[in-house]
Amino acid sequence: MDVRSKKKIGLVLSGGGIKAAAFHIGVCLALKERGFKFAGGTKDLVRHVYPESDPLTIRLYAGSSAGSFISCILAAGYDAESLINAFQIGLGKKRFYQEDSVKTLKPITYRHIFASNGKSVLNYLPRGLWRQSWLAGGLEAFIKSGLKINGLFTASNIEKYIRKNVLVENDFSRLGVELYVVATQLNHSRKAIFGPFPESYKNNSTLYINYASISEAVAASVSLPPVFAPYEIKRPDGKGLYYYDGEIRETLSAHIASDHGCDLVISSYSVEPYHFTDEVGSLHRYGIPVILNQALYQVIQQKITKHIESDEKLKEIYLLVDQYFKDEGLPETSRKKLLSQLEQRIHVRPQTDYVYIHPRGQNSEMFFADHFSLNPKSLEKILRVGFKSGLYFLKHHGI
């Protein structure tokens, strides 16, 4: 893969809690090791520091859930080392210069991530609940009627952290790079994409939204139930719509980068089911939480694999049609017309190359790591897995 010939490079980051964030930081360090640069900041800053002729420069970021948090910070102009300092992983501080001032990321604490949902869980329980039989109507009916709280925490402190400590510009259209944040509409089946669109619009499957601030969009994207309550964002007409985690409806939104002209899309995701090793043994010995985690990872990985395979098959069909017209000496105008129709109807991007970076199944320490822990030693281990995974898959593609 001749990456230096690529005209536009996009970075897509998926969700998975603090664990995913640390993994993405490691991947970013691997990209930097291979010569990639992370453009970000205001338009004037990007224009001055990252000229269009500069190769290996990432100019588009797309993220969902934890990936939206990291994408937002990179798009704001911070580098991977600043993220290391913010998560207090222990590998030192790194300052970056923006508009003649020195700025560092404020260290992230649990207080910046988890904001109380306001009321005690007991306040959501109806009167007389404890006098009802656990078996009346079944356990599911009991839970539905009794537990009305919509989330243990809210993402309001995450929104506040980004707005006050990260962003100089809180408007998608005022950044010097493209940033897209993915969420899911709560009261519909639509995916929601927040970004610098000229206007908001929708189709049967997707909302394209330009009126939310960056910090609001990220808060909506990270609101994973039942940990976080759905996040409300006001429309221009004043009506509020609720959104939650961007990974709910669709895992890995690499298409956003290709849809917006990227001919190299680098996607990082942290979910990988455990593969048996003699050192760890069988998961049946580790209890229900670990088994459920494995089951969830298998479902997510299957969705990602099907998505990747589908894209590869569509590209293969496109190239087969192209080669058939050339081999048979068929009219050039007909070839171009048919290929153009294929691009429009099945959304194939023949000039786009994809690099997918993820842990390997033997990375058991990654699998067993907590999703919401800020423990510096744990995060350092995850970061190293991300760094090694990044180098491994980049080398696999000849980068």
Side-chain angles (χ1 to χ4, degrees), residues 27-293:
V27 170
C28 289
L29 291 174
L31 289 169
K32 188 171 182 179
E33 180 81 6
R34 286 291 182 261
F36 287 88
K37 300 174 184 177
F38 301 91
T42 61
K43 290 183 177 180
D44 289 340
L45 179 68
V46 172
R47 192 180 303 114
H48 176 70
V49 179
Y50 305 98
E52 290 292 336
S53 58
D54 199 4
L56 299 181
T57 301
I58 298 169
R59 302 180 185 278
L60 181 147
Y61 302 92
S64 59
S65 196
S68 71
F69 185 81
I70 300 298
S71 295
C72 159
I73 293 175
L74 292 172
Y78 294 81
D79 53 22
E81 287 85 353
S82 297
L83 282 162
I84 291 172
N85 179 47
F87 281 92
Q88 302 179 35
I89 298 176
L91 300 182
K93 294 183 178 181
K94 176 69 176 180
R95 295 180 175 181
F96 82 103
Y97 292 83
Q98 179 170 303
E99 299 179 352
D100 299 323
S101 63
V102 178
K103 187 177 180 182
T104 57
L105 277 170
K106 184 176 182 178
I108 298 167
T109 66
Y110 290 117
R111 182 173 55 85
H112 296 120
I113 299 173
F114 300 106
S116 171
N117 201 2
K119 296 182 179 181
S120 166
V121 173
L122 294 176
N123 291 337
Y124 288 86
L125 300 177
R127 293 178 181 178
L129 173 66
W130 302 114
R131 293 195 297 270
Q132 298 176 18
S133 169
W134 276 84
L135 299 178
L139 179 59
E140 182 179 354
F142 176 85
I143 294 174
K144 286 181 178 178
S145 65
L147 197 58
K148 297 294 186 181
I149 188 170
N150 58 10
L152 300 177
F153 306 96
T154 75
S156 59
N157 280 4
I158 296 176
E159 188 277 332
K160 183 179 178 181
Y161 175 87
I162 293 171
R163 173 166 41 88
K164 290 194 171 185
N165 302 299
V166 175
L167 298 171
V168 174
E169 296 288 354
N170 202 5
D171 186 330
F172 285 95
S173 63
R174 296 176 70 87
L175 290 175
V177 294
E178 292 177 66
L179 172 64
Y180 299 93
V181 173
V182 183
T184 305
Q185 188 177 353
L186 174 65
N187 297 310
H188 203 281
S189 58
R190 291 191 186 99
K191 175 179 180 176
I193 303 176
F194 302 90
F197 304 108
E199 60 181 3
S200 297
Y201 63 100
K202 64 183 178 181
N203 55 36
N204 290 334
S205 62
T206 309
L207 281 172
Y208 299 87
I209 301 170
N210 72 349
Y211 51 78
S213 68
I214 297 173
S215 57
E216 287 177 326
V218 173
S221 182
V222 302
S223 296
L224 173 67
V227 179
F228 293 102
Y231 194 86
E232 183 184 20
I233 293 180
K234 299 284 188 180
R235 297 192 316 194
D237 62 6
K239 181 179 180 181
L241 294 180
Y242 286 89
Y243 302 90
Y244 59 176
D245 194 277
E247 298 281 280
I248 296 293
R249 189 180 184 279
E250 182 178 352
T251 304
L252 202 64
S253 298
H255 71 89
I256 295 176
S258 59
D259 288 347
H260 290 87
C262 290
D263 51 1
L264 175 59
V265 180
I266 302 169
S267 295
S268 170
Y269 62 94
S270 62
V271 171
E272 182 68 22
Y274 166 75
H275 294 184
F276 182 88
T277 63
D278 290 330
E279 181 182 4
V280 175
S282 172
L283 295 183
H284 81 277
R285 300 187 294 109
Y286 289 86
I288 291 176
V290 172
I291 295 172
L292 288 175
N293 192 52

